[in-house]
């Protein structure tokens, strides 16, 4: 489904600030894999997602998605194939537009858009159905500005919009990190629900080890721009936070002390 072969990315090459963010990274996702990604600050997690999304060009290596070589495909073309949710709830939705306008954009994504904004009765009914799944009461607020929603409501809406067109790959970069624990749990539950319902393939970066163990069928740990370990299936199910922490510590040493890794 997603295949990265020897992908490299160095920032500020040839300067004192040179940083090798990804070093010959190899990763192969099978269709339906829900992979949680952990690793310390600067390990290259966000860079990995950004490379897949085409935000930065590869310095070397190859990226394939669903059998297609997308290494040189520009970001806007890859966007049609991907769903993305970021840490910042402000990204991914248009705050000065109504909920229904945002949903119209997401529903019409990839289809021919007319210049007129007209949203039909049928469309409105469909948006309400889609919003009901979130159980946040947003179905009664179709003409509320998205900017007035709470961070959690907005993040849930972003998630809904990112998955409406069943993307080939869903990229989640600490998408619950800016939310309070209860709201974060709701958005995570919805994430899990959508991924399972549509059998999506997903990469979810998290600093929360417990979430990384609870969700998904596979877990990878990154360190210094590479995949340090990759555990799936039964072996992942049997992993404990303690065991994970131990592997993390032996890989990172003292770096963990300064890390914002959450254990609960
Ligand atoms: N646009 C950029 N320009 C320069 N350096 C960058 C850029 N993006 C990332 N880096 C560097 O690449 C390395 C990997 O960064 P990345 O953001 O991928 O880490 P991360 O694993 O997501 O960390 P965090 O847990 O803090 O989000 C870091 O050293 C970072 O400073
Ligand atoms: Mg990051």
């Amino acid at each position: 489904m997603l295949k990265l072969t020897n992908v490299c990315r160095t920032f500020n090459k040839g300067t004192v600030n040179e940083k090798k963010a990804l070093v010959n990274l190899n990763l192969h996702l099978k269709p339906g894999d829900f992979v949680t990604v952990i690793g310390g600050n600067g390990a290259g997690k966000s860079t990995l997602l950004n490379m897949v999304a085409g935000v930065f060009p590869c310095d070397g290596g190859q990226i394939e998605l669903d059998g297609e070589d997308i290494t040189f495909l520009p970001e806007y073309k890859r966007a049609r194939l991907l769903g993305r949710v970021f840490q910042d709830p402000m990204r991914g939705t248009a705050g000065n537009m109504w909920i229904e306008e945002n949903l119209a954009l997401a529903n019409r994504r990839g289809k021919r858009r007319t210049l007129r904004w007209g949203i039909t009765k049928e469309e409105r009914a469909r948006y309400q159905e889609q919003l009901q799944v979130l159980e946040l009461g947003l179905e009664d607020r179709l003409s509320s500005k998205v900017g007035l929603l709470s961070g959690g409501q907005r993040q849930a809406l972003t998630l809904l919009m990112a998955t409406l067109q069943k993307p080939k790959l869903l990229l989640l970069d600490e998408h619950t990190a800016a939310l309070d624990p209860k709201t974060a749990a709701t958005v995570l539950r919805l994430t899990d629900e959508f991924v399972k319902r549509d059998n999506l393939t997903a990469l979810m970066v998290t600093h929360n080890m417990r979430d990384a163990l609870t969700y998904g069928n596979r877990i990878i740990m990154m360190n210094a721009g590479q995949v340090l370990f990759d555990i799936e299936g039964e072996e992942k199910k049997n992993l404990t936070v303690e065991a994970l922490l131990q592997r993390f510590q032996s890989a990172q040493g003292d770096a963990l002390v300064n890390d914002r890794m959450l254990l609960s």
Side-chain angles (χ1 to χ4, degrees), residues 48-60:
L48 164 65
L49 269 55
N50 281 328
M51 298 297 283
V52 172
V55 178
F56 310 119
C58 294
D59 294 331

Side-chain angles (χ1 to χ4, degrees), residues 5-113:
T5 313
N6 293 323
V7 169
C8 298
R9 176 68 201 176
T10 304
F11 290 106
N12 307 314
K13 216 174 196 156
T15 73
V16 284
N17 293 322
E18 180 168 305
K19 179 74 208 172
K20 287 189 168 71
L22 295 184
V23 184
N24 289 319
L25 185 130
N26 290 294
L27 182 65
H28 191 174
L29 264 55
K30 299 178 285 298
D33 264 351
F34 181 2
V35 183
T36 54
V37 184
I38 58 168
N41 295 126
K45 305 179 296 297
S46 296
T47 306
L48 164 65
L49 269 55
N50 281 328
M51 298 297 283
V52 172
V55 178
F56 310 119
C58 294
D59 294 331
Q62 193 190 35
I63 305 178
E64 284 171 63
L65 183 63
D66 205 13
E68 187 191 350
D69 185 343
I70 60 163
T71 316
F72 300 105
L73 198 68
E75 184 181 5
Y76 78 94
K77 285 195 177 162
R78 291 191 212 187
R80 293 178 197 150
L81 312 170
L82 305 172
R84 302 186 76 186
V85 187
F86 305 91
Q87 181 172 344
D88 182 359
M90 299 298 166
R91 290 179 74 177
T93 46
N96 57 353
M97 287 166 77
W98 294 343
I99 291 181
E100 68 175 20
E101 291 172 327
N102 273 274
L103 280 170
L105 280 178
N107 276 283
R108 293 172 187 183
R109 193 174 148 194
K111 298 189 186 113
R112 208 168 63 89
R113 291 178 199 164

Side-chain angles (χ1 to χ4, degrees), residues 91-156:
R91 290 179 74 177
T93 46
N96 57 353
M97 287 166 77
W98 294 343
I99 291 181
E100 68 175 20
E101 291 172 327
N102 273 274
L103 280 170
L105 280 178
N107 276 283
R108 293 172 187 183
R109 193 174 148 194
K111 298 189 186 113
R112 208 168 63 89
R113 291 178 199 164
T114 59
L115 284 176
R116 278 187 307 119
W117 252 112
I119 293 174
T120 62
K121 236 194 213 165
E122 290 73 34
E123 282 177 310
R124 204 159 273 136
R126 182 146 51 93
Y127 302 163
Q128 275 173 329
E129 253 171 53
Q130 290 166 348
L131 287 166
Q132 257 160 17
V133 178
L134 304 180
E135 294 178 17
L136 295 171
L138 298 183
E139 59 276 12
D140 303 322
R141 300 177 60 185
L142 280 184
S143 49
S144 282
K145 285 254 174 85
V146 166
L148 297 176
L149 301 181
S150 71
Q153 289 170 331
R154 196 158 167 176
Q155 206 63 329

Side-chain angles (χ1 to χ4, degrees), residues 128-231:
Q128 275 173 329
E129 253 171 53
Q130 290 166 348
L131 287 166
Q132 257 160 17
V133 178
L134 304 180
E135 294 178 17
L136 295 171
L138 298 183
E139 59 276 12
D140 303 322
R141 300 177 60 185
L142 280 184
S143 49
S144 282
K145 285 254 174 85
V146 166
L148 297 176
L149 301 181
S150 71
Q153 289 170 331
R154 196 158 167 176
Q155 206 63 329
L157 181 64
T158 307
L159 182 70
L160 175 68
M161 287 167 54
T163 51
L164 270 183
Q165 304 277 346
K166 300 198 186 13
K168 287 192 189 295
L169 182 67
L170 180 62
L171 300 174
L172 309 162
D173 194 351
E174 298 196 50
H175 69 310
T176 60
L179 309 177
D180 65 80
K182 191 163 163 269
T183 318
T186 306
V187 173
L188 268 176
R189 178 181 55 77
L190 287 168
T191 305
D192 196 44
E193 227 175 271
F194 292 167
V195 168
K196 283 181 179 150
R197 185 189 63 194
D198 296 332
N199 198 26
L200 299 174
T201 309
L203 272 172
M204 180 173 93
V205 176
T206 175
H207 266 91
N208 188 310
M209 286 202 180
R210 205 169 294 281
D211 291 342
L213 289 178
T214 305
Y215 297 97
N217 65 312
R218 186 168 164 190
I219 182 170
I220 63 173
M221 186 205 270
M222 288 188 66
N223 190 41
Q226 291 186 316
V227 175
L228 198 65
F229 66 74
D230 183 344
I231 299 172

